[in-house]
Amino acid sequence: LDYCHHCRAEIGAYAQVYQDTTPHNSTDIARAVSALVLGPTGNVQGSYKFYNLDTGRQIVSNQFTVLPMPWEVIHYVHSVADAQRMPANIIFTDVEGNIIDDDGPDVAPHAAPVEDHRSVD
């Protein structure tokens, strides 16, 4: 693995992803789309998987620019979570859907609960 290719963006980061458009001189087609980083593909070119915010589909590209997360994107993600009735906190489960209890003796004490900021305007 090459750090410069495979560690360019954090999972969940906001990015403008550049897509090859054909024909190249067309001004009607957007060359960059807003997306969230899903993670590296692991290929030699250093491509990443992204969640396209316009279409809701996964795209792959090795040409992108990570930018600060806009408030509009935060609100969009919260609205999608609300529409899908996602819980405010992360719940870890095993492959059978059983909740993983993290209160065992080999686990560090709980940190303070994270506030749910979905209602931020």
Side-chain angles (χ1 to χ4, degrees):
L1 289 177
D2 179 3
Y3 177 82
C4 293
H5 279 102
H6 299 99
C7 300
R8 296 176 14 196
E10 292 182 28
I11 294 173
Y14 173 74
Q16 286 291 305
V17 179
Y18 304 100
Q19 296 186 308
D20 187 22
T21 58
T22 304
H24 295 287
N25 61 353
S26 175
T27 58
D28 297 339
I29 302 171
R31 292 190 174 99
V33 296
S34 298
L36 298 176
V37 177
L38 297 176
T41 62
N43 67 9
V44 176
Q45 294 83 11
S47 296
Y48 274 70
K49 295 179 277 188
F50 297 90
Y51 174 81
N52 183 325
L53 292 168
D54 294 330
T55 65
R57 294 179 181 229
Q58 182 175 304
I59 57 175
V60 175
S61 179
N62 66 348
Q63 297 180 328
F64 60 91
T65 302
V66 175
L67 299 170
M69 182 74 71
W71 278 107
E72 295 83 15
V73 173
I74 294 170
H75 289 294
Y76 170 76
V77 169
H78 285 189
S79 68
V80 169
D82 289 341
Q84 295 180 0
R85 299 180 184 203
M86 301 303 288
N89 297 319
I90 297 174
I91 299 172
F92 293 96
T93 62
D94 60 19
V95 295
E96 296 175 354
N98 300 314
I99 295 175
I100 297 172
D101 181 16
D102 63 352
D103 292 332
D106 59 341
V107 176
H110 288 287
V114 177
E115 293 182 31
D116 184 7
H117 295 285
R118 290 187 188 177
S119 61
V120 175
D121 290 321

